[in-house]
Amino acid sequence: MKQNKNIFILGIESSCDDTSVAITHNNKVISNIVSSQKIHQKFGGVVPELASRSHQNNIIPVVSNALKIANIHQSQLNAIAFTRGPGLLGSLLVGTSFAKSLSLALNIPLIDVNHMKAHVIANFINNDNISFPLLCLTVSGGHTQIVFVKSIYEMEIIGETLDDSAGEAFDKSAKMLGLKYPGGPIIEKMANISNKEEKYTFPEPKIDGLNFSFSGLKTHISRFIKKEKEKNDNFIKNNLNELCFSIQKRIISILINKLIQAIKQTNIKNVAIAGGVASNKYFRNEIKKLEKELNIKTFSPEIQYSTDNAAMIALSGYYKYLKKDFAKLDIEPKARYII
Ligand code: KG4
Ligand code: ZN
């Protein structure tokens, strides 16, 4: 292994529908390329077979581009980090196989990364002010978790969704409203141009402990829209922005209320959010408001590092590199992979 203080890690993320490659120099991100697959939009969700095929097409140009932007040669790399899971198996296989080949060809270590841990670690990109212990509410397309973060290396889930994730609640609600995939950013955009009043009050589920549930909300919204459309065919069209605002408000209030409960229960004063839904500005503002209310410090990753990206994989790889925590070449991806 090369012994120097200039550690360059190339990270590969291919767990869902974004092919992303990033390079870190020590704990700084020096390139982060994300190639998003537009093909899924018309299907209202990610089509696994199409996703893995697109990763195959994208991976080589995205790797070349990441090296070019970072202005380094591949011979300078110290290790290859990749997302092992959780995610779509066919998609993960493309990143995993490519990472193995590259590590073998360059004769440098291979490092496996858990995608959900990496979302938490995204908070540490360009931010040296976070201290431990930390609570992180990670909200992505497939997961909703409250994570007790003892250190970069020690994380434990203390609450999670029992059914749908909050990201799915956004995406499925958007689909019911005839909006494209992914629905979260579109709902946010529509909510922003509404009159910002909660015209429709959707119910908040009563779930014990620190767990979440979003499937009841989804069913309620679906029934409500169906009933209103029977009375007025133009119901969605006439009330789209207000519907988006009300849906956004309820999904975020469910998240915030559980987070408040977790903060009170653990008495942890450093609180972060992560994952695709953390790029929602309304959510970020609501979290910020907790600082004064609960006398805590809050953090959210830069927007480009909230949604799926390889910078968080490369940085996670860097921390594992410091511990010489490497993977063997026969490692396999895992569609279900708990923190
Ligand atoms: O973390 P992520 O990029 O991918 C997964 O690991 O799943 O999260 C994707 C999820 C999708 O459900 C998407 O609709 C949601 O994040 N999302 C948003 C916003 N941007 C992405 N939800 C609400 N508001 C946004 N601005
Ligand atoms: Zn993700």
Side-chain angles (χ1 to χ4, degrees):
M1 191 167 72
K2 295 166 201 167
Q3 292 295 335
N4 63 43
K5 288 213 164 63
N6 282 313
I7 310 298
F8 292 99
I9 309 285
L10 182 139
I12 298 174
E13 158 59 34
S14 72
S15 65
C16 192
D17 58 339
D18 294 311
T19 316
S20 181
V21 176
I23 296 169
T24 46
H25 175 203
N26 298 334
N27 67 347
K28 297 279 169 263
V29 177
I30 56 172
S31 71
N32 180 45
I33 310 294
V34 183
S35 170
S36 298
Q37 304 173 2
K38 301 274 176 270
I39 189 153
H40 309 286
Q41 281 182 354
K42 60 178 177 226
F43 297 103
V46 177
V47 184
E49 176 65 27
L50 296 178
S52 48
R53 275 197 240 169
S54 298
H55 285 305
Q56 286 273 15
N57 292 333
N58 294 344
I59 192 111
I60 292 178
V62 175
V63 167
S64 308
N65 209 359
L67 284 164
K68 198 168 138 201
I69 303 280
N71 198 21
I72 64 160
H73 188 261
Q74 61 189 34
S75 60
Q76 289 172 268
L77 294 171
N78 295 82
I80 307 296
F82 71 99
T83 302
R84 185 182 183 195
L88 301 169
L89 198 60
S91 293
L92 291 166
L93 268 166
V94 177
T96 306
S97 311
F98 195 87
K100 285 182 186 181
S101 322
L102 206 53
S103 102
L104 204 58
L106 299 174
N107 193 24
I108 53 176
L110 178 68
I111 301 173
D112 58 303
V113 172
N114 179 303
H115 181 88
M116 298 313 295
K117 277 190 180 173
H119 268 304
V120 176
I121 288 173
N123 272 288
F124 294 83
I125 301 175
N126 298 333
N127 185 354
D128 301 324
N129 296 323
I130 311 189
S131 49
F132 300 104
L134 173 77
L135 267 191
C136 184
L137 171 55
T138 313
V139 203
S140 67
H143 298 79
T144 300
Q145 308 175 330
I146 301 180
V147 185
F148 169 60
V149 188
K150 207 168 159 195
S151 75
I152 291 263
Y153 302 101
E154 291 166 281
M155 301 187 194
E156 185 195 338
I157 297 171
I158 58 169
E160 63 189 324
T161 184
L162 303 174
D163 40 58
D164 289 353
S165 72
E168 265 176 295
F170 271 108
D171 296 336
K172 289 179 178 171
S173 302
K175 202 170 176 181
M176 291 177 217
L177 298 175
L179 304 171
K180 280 189 182 160
Y181 176 86
I186 307 176
I187 291 195
E188 178 177 19
K189 209 166 123 199
M190 301 288 179
N192 273 341
I193 49 173
S194 72
N195 59 11
K196 309 229 164 103
E197 271 168 29
E198 193 179 7
K199 189 165 172 188
Y200 309 104
T201 316
F202 298 118
E204 181 157 347
K206 305 244 173 311
I207 307 292
D208 284 345
L210 297 178
N211 290 331
F212 301 87
S213 167
F214 287 96
S215 69
L217 176 66
K218 176 187 67 188
T219 310
H220 186 97
I221 295 170
S222 160
R223 286 202 188 126
F224 173 75
I225 291 175
K226 194 166 168 257
K227 206 175 82 210
E228 292 301 316
K229 268 177 73 177
E230 276 163 14
K231 290 189 251 166
N232 172 5
D233 211 23
N234 287 328
F235 172 70
I236 293 180
K237 200 171 139 216
N238 294 346
N239 299 286
L240 186 59
N241 301 339
E242 284 66 37
L243 277 163
C244 286
F245 182 83
S246 302
I247 291 168
Q248 173 176 272
K249 185 162 172 129
R250 179 55 69 239
I251 296 173
I252 302 299
S253 82
I254 294 172
L255 292 170
I256 300 268
N257 287 340
K258 277 289 170 180
L259 184 61
I260 292 174
Q261 197 181 322
I263 295 166
K264 290 186 175 160
Q265 200 171 306
T266 59
N267 206 20
I268 291 175
K269 299 285 177 195
N270 298 298
V271 177
I273 56 172
V277 178
S279 64
N280 183 291
K281 296 215 179 64
Y282 173 78
F283 184 28
R284 295 165 84 93
N285 285 339
E286 291 299 300
I287 290 287
K288 194 90 197 139
K289 282 188 201 161
L290 298 182
E291 292 203 331
K292 264 199 185 145
E293 241 169 72
L294 301 173
N295 190 26
I296 57 168
K297 273 195 190 164
T298 68
F299 306 92
S300 40
E302 286 172 32
I303 289 186
Q304 60 170 327
Y305 304 129
S306 296
T307 45
D308 283 351
N309 67 88
M312 66 187 194
I313 305 301
L315 186 63
S316 305
Y318 169 70
Y319 288 118
K320 286 189 92 173
Y321 183 91
L322 297 180
K323 295 258 182 194
K324 297 192 171 51
D325 185 356
F326 304 139
K328 294 209 181 102
L329 272 175
D330 62 357
I331 191 167
E332 287 175 358
K334 283 177 112 171
R336 293 174 68 80
Y337 187 19
I338 296 160
I339 272 186

